[in-house]
């Protein structure tokens, strides 16, 4: 009887998912309630985790709790340590949850809410969570080795070296773009700038508190950090209203970018306990709290989705970024559905912490579903804004005009009415001078979140608090990636240079540490400044490049995973990773080709450079031309390197399946676990 009831429950969940999905897909005209989107997502996630991840765990990977994990066999109390599965889950989610699931769905909303919602839900269940789970399993069976090490051992030296170079280059683009999102959110905003600046000394205070003043008092430190964070938001309000202090915290985009570059160097060079660790702890604390608050807010308020299912910009003429719905919807959302960056975490610290093999299912597959849910929440928050306001905030001056009057006229001409007084009143309500030209997605997402929080409790008088609280929340998400990513990039560069100068491999050798930190920061800092000075807002060109790079990294991860599955099972379960891999290759290579060679100046890097080269030449124009051609070259290098890895992988697959190549696995031998 119990088995029958369970089966009936899963049938009802499947029906609910199908009905909710059909409702959001078929609705036209009247706004759709956001609860349909939430029901579709949650029910699909439940089915995917219960059945698909169960199939992967039992049949494809044959997870075995009798087998000792690297955390048990190599236990050293430092990197390798058997850890409670819920603690590992929290660590893994905090590490993978960067700005992508927040910003990507917000930007992709220019196509309407429907394409992004479908890709976030379906892509996470069939692609993103599969990649994270399989890569985590592969690394766990190989002593927690990195993605690059596994590529070198399973595919070959050529593919492995290409993978190492590609990952390092992708990290540079990723860090530049996430920095650009912060810059566009904080420029000319004394309230936001003060609040974010205050989180840095707060993190240092927490680091000193735990190391010297009150060692081990984590709860005390957490309470102190929370109080100081809230105080910094109110302090930002006082600063913004002060005629003396406001100008001191009102900076241009270039100034904020330079400050971020300095911060990135400090975060990489300073001891990890002083800034990086307490900031990441503080970020995790805020991340999980706000995600829960946002989910509860959506459940209580269940706002209407004001954006239509599809907008006129599916034809590629969008103001936020150029390109048609295929392939750029899938490139823009990136982390909300599948993220190559996750593969670095799944083959980094996480496999060294798993106490039992079966824990990999919840950590690898489950964490990605939670991140996908965050992306759905972000899409709901952005799509609940009036469309005119959404496009007025996110469209750059180079597209809509340099005055408020010109901007609202242009946005209204697209069929999304908005007025200059309406925008001015909204800016005043949230404590800003203006909300025009805030490209990057963070401000519009903060507006949507602030409206939801305000409806849950409070009046319009507290809208400004919630807006800047949301900005602080997003910036902490992003700064976590910025400081940790810079340090990871430094490690990778030191490892690469160590083949020529062995001393460079020593991460505690200060000259090498300072030099590689400076190189990594200078690399992503250059692209950041390029985006800040871009008349189209930077996001128009750099976010698609970021999406292409991130999805190409996922392509590398799936090449490694497919190679290992073929060695384990032959062609039997080849489709598990080959289907998402094939889709990513088509999408990313199409997008990369269009970004390089499209004849449309708004889309193609080379066409943009050619357009700028006609007419009066200034130093600024020459810089823009050089940057456009550099972007084309970087995108081309990415495509060539991934092609090398893909071809090398296919060579290995063909050899194994034809019987002309040894299918030798490099996983560690079975050792009986002694953990209870």
């Amino acid at each position: 009887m119990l088995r029958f009831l369970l089966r009936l429950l899963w049938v009802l969940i499947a029906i609910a998912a199908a009905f909710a999905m059909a409702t959001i897909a078929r609705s036209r005209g009247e706004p759709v309630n956001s609860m349909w989107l939430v029901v579709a997502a949650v029910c699909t996630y439940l089915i995917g985790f219960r059945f698909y991840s169960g199939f992967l765990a039992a049949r494809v990977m044959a997870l075995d709790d009798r087998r000792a994990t690297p955390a048990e066999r190599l236990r050293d109390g430092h990197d390798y340590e058997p850890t409670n599965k819920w603690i590992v889950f929290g660590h893994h989610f905090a590490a993978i949850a960067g700005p992508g699931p927040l910003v990507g769905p917000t930007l992709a909303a220019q196509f309407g809410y429907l394409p992004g919602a479908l890709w976030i839900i379906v892509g996470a269940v069939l692609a993103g969570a599969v990649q994270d789970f399989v890569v985590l399993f592969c690394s766990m069976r190989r002593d927690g080795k990195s993605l690059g090490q596994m590529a070198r051992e399973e595919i070959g030296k050529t593919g492995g070296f290409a993978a190492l170079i590609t990952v390092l280059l992708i990290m540079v683009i990723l860090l530049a773009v996430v920095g650009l999102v912060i810059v566009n959110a904080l420029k000319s905003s004394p309230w936001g700038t003060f609040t974010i600046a205050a989180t840095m000394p707060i993190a240092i205070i927490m680091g000193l508190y735990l190391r010297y003043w009150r060692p081990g008092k984590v709860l005390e430190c957490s309470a102190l950090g929370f109080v100081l964070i809230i105080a910094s938001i109110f302090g930002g309000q006082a600063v913004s209203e002060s005629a003396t202090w406001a100008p001191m915290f009102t900076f241009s985009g270039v100034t904020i970018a330079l400050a971020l570059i300095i911060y990135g160097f400090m975060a990489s060079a300073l001891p990890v306990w002083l800034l990086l660790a307490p900031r990441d702890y503080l970020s995790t604390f805020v991340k999980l709290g706000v995600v829960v608050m946002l989910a509860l807010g959506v459940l209580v308020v269940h706002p209407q989705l004001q954006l239509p299912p599809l907008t006129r910009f599916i034809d590629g003429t969008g103001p936020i970024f150029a390109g048609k719905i295929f392939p750029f919807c899938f490139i823009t959302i990136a982390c909300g559905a599948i993220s190559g960056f996750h593969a670095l975490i799944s083959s980094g610290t996480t496999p060294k912490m798993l106490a039992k093999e079966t824990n990999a299912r919840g950590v690898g597959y489950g964490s990605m579903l939670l991140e996908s849910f965050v992306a759905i929440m972000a899409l709901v928050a952005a799509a609940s804004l009036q469309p005119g306001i959404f496009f007025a905030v996110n469209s750059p001056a180079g597209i809509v005009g340099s005055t408020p009057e010109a901007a609202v006229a242009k946005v209204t001409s697209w069929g999304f009415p908005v007025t200059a007084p309406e925008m001015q009143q909204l800016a005043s309500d949230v404590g800003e001078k203006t909300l025009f030209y805030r490209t990057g997605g963070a401000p519009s997402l903060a507006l949507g979140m602030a409206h939801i929080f305000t409806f849950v409790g409070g009046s319009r008088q507290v809208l400004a608090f919630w807006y800047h609280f949301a900005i602080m929340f997003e910036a902490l998400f992003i700064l976590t990636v910025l400081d940790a990513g810079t340090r990871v990039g430094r490690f990778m560069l030191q490892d690469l240079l160590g083949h020529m100068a062995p001393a460079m491999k020593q991460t505690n050798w200060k000259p090498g540490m300072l030099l590689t930190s400076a190189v990594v920061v200078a690399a992503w800092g250059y692209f950041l400044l390029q985006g800040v000075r871009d008349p189209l807002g930077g996001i128009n060109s750099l976010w698609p490049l970021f999406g292409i790079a991130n999805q190409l990294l996922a392509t590398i991860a799936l090449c490694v995973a497919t190679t290992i599955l073929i060695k384990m099972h032959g062609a039997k379960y080849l489709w598990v990773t080959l289907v998402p891999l094939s889709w990513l290759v088509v999408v990313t290579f199409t997008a990369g080709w269009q970004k390089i060679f499209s004849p449309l100046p708004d889309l193609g890097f080379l066409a943009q450079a050619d357009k700028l080269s006609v007419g009066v030449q200034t130093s600024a124009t020459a810089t823009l031309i050089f940057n456009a051609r550099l972007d084309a070259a970087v995108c081309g290098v990415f495509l060539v390197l991934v092609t090398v890895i893909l071809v090398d992988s296919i060579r290995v697959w063909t050899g194994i399946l034809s019987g002309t190549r040894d299918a030798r696995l490099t996983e560690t031998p079975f050792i009986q676990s002694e953990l209870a």
Side-chain angles (χ1 to χ4, degrees):
M1 183 65 179
L2 180 60
R3 179 175 296 181
F4 171 77
L5 291 176
L6 286 175
R7 289 179 177 177
L8 179 61
L9 175 62
W10 285 112
V11 169
L12 294 175
I13 291 174
I15 293 173
F19 186 77
M21 198 79 78
T23 300
I24 63 174
R26 293 170 58 87
S27 296
R28 297 291 185 272
E30 295 184 0
V32 176
N33 193 291
S34 60
M35 283 307 298
W36 288 114
L37 193 54
V38 174
V39 170
V42 171
C43 291
T44 305
Y45 297 153
L46 289 174
I47 293 171
F49 185 80
R50 169 61 182 83
F51 295 101
Y52 192 40
S53 75
F55 161 76
L56 295 175
R59 298 292 183 85
V60 180
M61 304 176 198
L63 298 181
D64 186 358
D65 280 349
R66 296 172 302 170
R67 187 187 190 112
T69 64
E72 179 183 355
R73 289 186 293 101
L74 305 175
R75 187 172 189 170
D76 60 6
H78 184 66
D79 293 320
Y80 294 87
E81 181 68 24
T83 307
N84 180 278
K85 63 182 179 180
W86 294 111
I87 295 177
V88 181
F89 181 92
H91 157 79
H92 188 78
F93 172 73
I96 66 175
L102 296 173
V103 176
T106 303
L107 297 177
Q110 81 164 7
F111 294 126
Y113 67 79
L114 182 59
L118 294 177
W119 173 231
I120 289 169
I121 296 171
V122 177
V125 171
L126 298 180
V130 173
Q131 175 211 247
D132 293 10
F133 187 15
V134 176
V135 171
L136 178 59
F137 160 76
C138 295
S139 180
M140 179 179 63
R141 286 280 178 95
R142 287 158 181 78
D143 290 340
K145 289 179 179 177
S146 69
L147 181 64
Q149 289 174 308
M150 289 192 294
R152 187 164 53 249
E153 293 179 359
E154 300 292 344
I155 299 175
K157 292 183 178 180
T158 301
F161 181 75
L164 182 61
I165 297 295
T166 307
V167 171
L168 183 58
L169 292 176
I170 286 173
M171 287 291 293
V172 168
I173 298 299
L174 183 148
L175 296 173
V177 175
V178 299
L180 182 60
V181 173
I182 293 183
V183 171
N184 287 338
L186 297 183
K187 63 184 179 183
S188 303
S189 173
W191 189 336
T193 301
F194 176 85
T195 299
I196 299 306
T199 64
M200 297 175 193
I202 290 173
I204 292 176
I205 289 172
M206 292 175 66
L208 294 171
Y209 192 93
L210 285 176
R211 189 171 182 87
Y212 294 116
W213 303 333
R214 298 280 287 174
K217 304 296 183 181
V218 177
L219 289 179
E220 286 183 18
C221 190
S222 301
L224 175 65
F226 177 77
V227 170
L228 292 177
I229 281 289
I230 298 301
S232 72
I233 299 175
F234 286 107
Q237 181 180 19
V239 166
S240 67
E241 295 172 352
S242 169
T244 302
W245 289 95
M248 298 175 62
F249 287 90
T250 302
F251 302 119
S252 67
V254 173
T255 303
I256 296 176
L258 293 173
L260 279 180
I261 292 170
I262 295 172
Y263 165 75
F265 178 79
M266 291 174 59
S268 178
L270 288 176
V272 68
W273 62 265
L274 183 60
L275 179 59
L276 185 69
R279 166 178 279 290
D280 286 354
Y281 175 77
L282 187 65
S283 300
T284 303
F285 188 66
V286 175
K287 281 179 188 179
L288 296 177
V290 176
V291 167
V292 172
M293 286 172 56
L294 182 57
L296 292 176
V298 170
L299 291 175
V300 173
V301 178
H302 45 83
Q304 301 288 328
L305 301 178
Q306 301 298 328
L307 279 172
L310 297 171
T311 69
R312 56 178 288 178
F313 300 125
I314 59 175
D315 63 356
T317 60
I320 300 175
F321 58 89
K324 294 184 178 181
I325 191 170
F326 177 85
F328 287 99
C329 176
F330 310 100
I331 291 300
T332 302
I333 288 177
C335 305
I338 181 170
S339 170
F341 179 74
H342 294 187
L344 303 182
I345 307 301
S346 293
S347 59
T349 55
T350 304
K352 300 177 178 66
M353 300 167 65
L354 293 172
K356 292 294 182 181
E357 282 201 346
T358 54
N359 293 351
R361 179 185 175 191
V363 173
Y365 199 95
S367 291
M368 180 60 218
L369 295 185
L370 181 57
E371 172 157 329
S372 182
F373 184 69
V374 172
I376 288 292
M377 293 295 100
L379 182 62
V380 168
S384 63
L385 290 174
Q386 290 293 337
I389 293 174
F390 173 82
F391 284 106
V393 172
N394 284 292
S395 299
I399 297 291
V400 296
S402 58
T403 65
E405 292 73 21
V408 297
K410 187 67 173 178
V411 173
T412 301
S413 72
W414 295 332
F416 306 119
V418 66
T419 65
E422 183 180 8
M423 290 295 296
Q424 183 56 48
Q425 181 61 50
L426 183 60
S428 177
D429 288 342
V430 299
E432 296 287 351
K433 293 181 180 179
T434 181
L435 288 172
F436 286 105
Y437 323 128
R438 294 299 182 91
T439 59
S444 59
L445 176 58
L447 281 173
M449 292 172 62
H451 275 103
I452 291 173
F453 290 153
T454 301
F455 277 117
V456 172
S459 61
R460 292 190 66 85
Q461 282 67 38
V462 299
L463 187 64
F465 171 83
W466 285 122
Y467 172 81
H468 287 92
F469 181 86
I471 287 288
M472 181 269 296
F473 158 71
E474 294 176 67
L476 284 180
F477 252 88
I478 295 168
L479 284 174
T480 300
V481 175
L482 198 69
D483 50 27
T486 301
R487 189 174 286 262
V488 170
R490 188 247 292 180
F491 290 153
M492 293 171 61
L493 184 58
Q494 284 188 268
D495 183 59
L496 188 64
L497 296 177
H499 294 289
M500 297 176 287
M504 294 296 293
K505 282 194 173 185
Q506 301 175 19
T507 57
N508 59 352
W509 187 49
K510 287 189 177 181
M513 178 264 291
L514 294 175
L515 175 62
T516 50
S517 295
V519 171
V520 172
V521 169
W524 64 255
Y526 173 82
F527 285 97
L528 171 60
L529 289 170
Q530 169 192 333
V532 171
R533 292 174 175 143
D534 191 329
L536 297 181
I539 289 297
N540 190 294
S541 59
L542 285 184
W543 188 270
L545 186 59
F546 159 76
I548 292 168
N550 191 46
Q551 306 300 63
L552 286 175
L553 183 54
T555 302
I556 297 172
L558 289 172
C559 281
V560 174
T562 303
T563 304
I564 292 174
L565 291 187
I566 290 176
K567 290 183 177 182
M568 291 176 65
H569 304 289
K572 186 176 181 180
Y573 297 121
L574 177 64
W575 54 271
V576 169
T577 51
L578 188 59
V579 171
L581 171 60
S582 301
W583 170 253
L584 282 183
V585 169
V586 172
V587 169
T588 51
F589 276 70
T590 301
W593 182 270
Q594 290 185 15
K595 289 303 296 182
I596 297 172
F597 297 111
S598 172
L600 302 175
D602 289 340
L603 180 57
F605 291 129
L606 296 179
Q608 184 184 47
D610 292 341
K611 179 182 177 181
L612 291 170
S613 63
V614 177
V616 179
Q617 297 293 304
T618 63
S619 59
T621 305
T623 300
L624 291 175
I625 293 172
F626 175 80
N627 288 340
R629 289 173 177 163
L630 178 62
D631 290 344
V634 169
C635 190
V637 168
F638 285 160
L639 296 179
V640 170
L641 288 172
V642 173
T643 300
V644 170
I645 299 167
L646 189 61
V647 169
D648 207 25
S649 299
I650 294 174
R651 177 183 60 82
V652 174
W653 305 341
T654 304
I656 295 173
L657 295 176
S658 65
T660 60
R661 185 183 181 92
D662 183 21
R664 182 180 58 86
L665 284 168
T666 61
E667 68 177 36
T668 54
F670 178 92
I671 295 179
Q672 182 74 34
S673 173
E674 297 182 2
L675 292 180

